[in-house]
Amino acid sequence: MTTATPAPLHGLRQRWRQGRPTFGAIATIPSIQTVQIMARSGRDWVIVDLEQGPIGLVTAHSMVVATSGNPCVRLALIAANE
């Protein structure tokens, strides 16, 4: 029997609960290449910041999709709860 690997977000939450450090980066510029580099560099999480920077919804979607295939957890900081 094989054991399933936990979902990346579940693993991140588990490390936080254990008090273990995690490392990440906040993307504030609308650059797909930048978030790809961040996700591939071994970070635990990347935040796409739609609140502070000039990143729109379409670009944010592209940035999140560009980081798929990595164990890095993608998070978004939204501008408003609408």
Side-chain angles (χ1 to χ4, degrees):
M1 181 184 338
T2 62
T3 57
T5 57
L9 183 58
H10 176 72
L12 185 64
R13 286 180 178 164
Q14 185 176 19
R15 284 180 281 183
W16 287 339
R17 285 186 191 115
Q18 295 170 348
R20 293 174 42 204
T22 60
F23 301 94
I26 300 174
T28 58
I29 58 171
S31 171
I32 293 169
Q33 294 82 5
T34 300
V35 292
Q36 282 179 328
I37 292 167
M38 290 176 179
R40 293 178 183 170
S41 67
R43 287 177 168 75
D44 297 310
W45 49 267
V46 171
I47 296 175
V48 177
D49 186 357
L50 286 85
E51 183 180 24
Q52 313 295 332
I55 301 172
L57 290 177
V58 173
T59 304
H61 178 266
S62 298
M63 291 170 75
V64 169
V65 170
T67 62
S68 63
N70 293 294
C72 180
V73 175
R74 280 95 46 204
L75 304 166
L77 178 60
I78 58 173
N81 187 13
E82 297 176 358

